[in-house]
Amino acid sequence: MNSASNSFLDVDVVVVGGGPAGATAAYELAKAGVRVCLIDREGRTKPCGGAVPPQLLKDFDVPRHVLEKEVDCARMVSPTERSVDMPIETGFVGMVDRAFFDNWLRDRAEQAGAIRVAGTYLAMETLGEVDGHDRVSVTYKAGKKSELPRQGPVPVQTVRAKYVIGADGAKSKVGLQHVPGADKLKSVFAYHEIIETPAEWEGQSIASRCDVIYDGALSPDFYSWVFPHGETLSVGTGTAKQGFSLRQSITDLRVRTGLDAAKTLRTEGAPIPMKPLKRWDDGKHVLLCGDAAGCVAPASGEGIFYAMACGRMSAETMMEVLQSNDPALLRNARKRFLKAHGKVFWALGIMQYFWYHSDKRRERFVTMCDDKDVQRLTWDSYLNKRLTRKEPMAHIKIFFKDMAHLFGIGPARG
């Protein structure tokens, strides 16, 4: 591993956090010849269903063998346990194990030239002008999170840089310390359990299907899931409601799906942002990225693709800032992202607001998913990461179907 051997290191950019956003930003910067240090505490895996569209493989040069599984169907389950299958006829949904995938991305950044260190971010201080550039110092506790002592002194190291990218998650310490409004990030809390796939599932269609469960008893304002990862399953849920027991919800879900006897391999929980922050930078040295900036799609909670897209755009913006020595350009990262994905986030936000409001509406939402027009346009938009512009009359028809289901005047489906 290429790591910092001294207590002092001088680079152009420090990236704090090595998830999909931070690792992608570090990779793009290193590939362009920028001196970049990637600090990640390692040893911790974010709770995530792990779904990625084929477009991610194309856009970010990710080889197909990195996937744990390829899914060809999603099953939507209503509060009354009515199920609707949505087959994927024009592609697949890839499934990744975040423990492996995130480390693969960090390895790639290191191979491109990023200096990779295991450590936990502590603070950033302004140093003033050095060699014509304002500099900051970033201090971190050296070592993997799992290896650091709980009490007593820990080794602290320093990196000096021109700029910092904070990609350290929804409760970003970089953001809370330096970006106004970062404390206003809206999020749900997600929890999942990674369990062994039952042997009897081998060769069955259920092993290649994502189950999405809309039930207020399991999540009062979001959804629950059972996603296949080959030899393992991710069984999870999320909510913004304080006091709701996510662990009990997953216990109940595992009983309901016959997975209560399956061996639990690990459990993970973390906040998942639901709306991009209004500001991603401090106008001087800091730019937020990925979850830290709120780049997770509403309604679906999809974050990997958007984190990597944000990471690339943050790197592109940072290269412009380095060339111009104008930190005011840091604001362009948010503008870039919203220009590319803002309409999708807006549409999904409206969907979540209307359809997740109650079990009555969730029931109608699942019924709506049985419509072939809805399925076709949904998969085209998801697989290709855009709101499809084809077939404008189909969009109009779906709009009126949405309204009919929302107000309970749609045709009854048995």
Side-chain angles (χ1 to χ4, degrees):
M1 177 182 288
N2 182 16
S3 61
S5 58
N6 301 319
S7 59
F8 182 82
L9 182 67
D10 200 340
V11 297
D12 295 314
V13 180
V14 170
V15 179
V16 179
T24 300
Y27 169 69
E28 297 289 344
L29 287 167
K31 191 171 63 169
V34 176
R35 294 175 300 161
V36 58
C37 175
L38 174 62
I39 301 174
D40 187 77
R41 56 183 176 172
E42 300 188 7
R44 180 185 180 280
T45 305
K46 178 186 173 183
C48 177
V52 299
Q55 195 65 39
L56 180 145
L57 308 185
K58 299 176 185 176
D59 287 356
F60 301 101
D61 298 320
V62 175
R64 204 159 171 171
H65 69 76
V66 172
L67 303 178
E68 301 288 332
K69 190 76 177 177
E70 294 181 7
V71 171
D72 57 18
C73 180
R75 172 166 288 184
M76 320 300 276
V77 183
S78 78
T80 61
E81 298 191 45
R82 176 177 184 266
S83 62
V84 170
D85 283 354
M86 297 179 64
I88 307 170
E89 298 176 351
T90 58
F92 63 90
V93 174
M95 308 302 296
V96 298
D97 183 326
R98 288 292 299 272
F100 170 81
F101 183 66
D102 289 13
N103 197 58
W104 183 88
L105 292 173
R106 291 191 288 269
D107 283 345
R108 183 168 72 165
E110 184 179 15
Q111 291 162 9
I115 299 171
R116 177 179 169 187
V117 298
T120 301
Y121 169 85
L122 293 174
M124 184 197 87
E125 294 183 3
T126 302
L127 296 176
E129 187 172 307
V130 179
D131 298 330
H133 286 274
D134 283 343
R135 298 293 181 108
V136 297
S137 66
V138 174
T139 54
Y140 63 93
K141 293 187 291 186
K144 294 183 180 180
K145 181 177 182 290
S146 58
E147 298 171 349
L148 291 174
R150 294 190 176 183
Q151 295 181 343
V154 296
V156 175
Q157 296 197 24
T158 300
V159 182
R160 191 170 70 177
K162 299 172 185 174
Y163 299 99
V164 175
I165 293 178
D168 50 335
K171 298 293 184 181
S172 168
K173 188 177 288 188
V174 175
L176 292 173
Q177 289 178 357
H178 299 284
V179 178
D183 58 331
K184 302 296 193 298
L185 184 67
K186 294 182 178 180
S187 62
V188 301
F189 198 86
Y191 170 78
H192 78 161
E193 297 178 358
I194 298 296
I195 65 176
E196 287 186 348
T197 302
E200 57 268 26
W201 281 28
E202 185 175 353
Q204 296 188 29
S205 61
I206 192 173
S208 297
R209 186 186 76 210
C210 287
D211 284 10
V212 185
I213 302 99
Y214 297 96
D215 188 339
L218 299 173
S219 171
D221 52 358
F222 202 55
Y223 66 83
S224 306
W225 68 83
V226 179
F227 286 0
H229 290 176
E231 296 180 355
T232 64
L233 297 169
S234 166
V235 185
T237 194
T239 184
K241 185 176 180 180
Q242 296 291 327
F244 184 83
S245 176
L246 295 174
R247 289 181 182 271
Q248 184 60 51
S249 172
I250 296 306
T251 297
D252 295 342
L253 177 57
R254 288 179 62 171
V255 170
R256 182 186 298 188
T257 54
L259 296 169
D260 49 314
K263 182 179 179 181
T264 302
L265 302 177
R266 67 179 194 264
T267 64
E268 294 145 359
I272 308 295
M274 285 289 103
K275 188 176 182 179
L277 285 172
K278 293 183 178 180
R279 183 171 180 175
W280 292 6
D281 69 279
D282 68 346
K284 300 175 182 177
H285 299 284
V286 175
L287 174 63
L288 299 182
C289 180
D291 279 14
C295 294
V296 175
S300 68
E302 181 191 2
I304 299 175
F305 175 87
Y306 295 110
M308 294 180 71
C310 186
R312 173 173 286 172
M313 293 174 190
S314 296
E316 291 169 350
T317 299
M318 194 60 75
M319 284 185 270
E320 292 173 357
V321 172
L322 287 167
Q323 289 175 353
S324 65
N325 195 23
D326 183 3
L329 298 180
L330 290 170
R331 69 170 73 98
N332 290 344
R334 185 178 186 275
K335 292 179 180 178
R336 272 193 170 104
F337 184 87
L338 292 181
K339 182 178 180 180
H341 304 294
K343 289 182 180 179
V344 173
F345 276 43
W346 175 80
L348 291 174
I350 291 177
M351 187 184 110
Q352 180 171 341
Y353 176 80
F354 280 111
W355 293 117
Y356 293 9
H357 182 71
S358 67
D359 273 355
K360 185 177 181 180
R361 290 189 183 179
R362 293 185 187 99
E363 194 74 36
R364 291 173 181 165
F365 173 70
V366 172
T367 298
M368 186 182 69
C369 291
D370 205 13
D371 187 281
K372 297 303 178 185
D373 289 327
V374 171
Q375 292 184 13
R376 183 157 40 86
L377 290 172
T378 295
W379 286 129
D380 187 61
S381 295
Y382 173 80
L383 298 176
N384 301 296
K385 303 320 298 175
R386 65 177 184 271
L387 285 174
T388 179
R389 297 181 182 275
K390 295 184 295 183
E391 303 179 87
M393 290 307 297
H395 282 283
I396 295 172
K397 181 165 62 173
I398 287 172
F399 171 78
F400 284 109
K401 288 180 179 180
D402 278 0
M403 292 301 100
H405 283 294
L406 178 60
F407 293 110
I409 58 176
R413 307 292 289 264

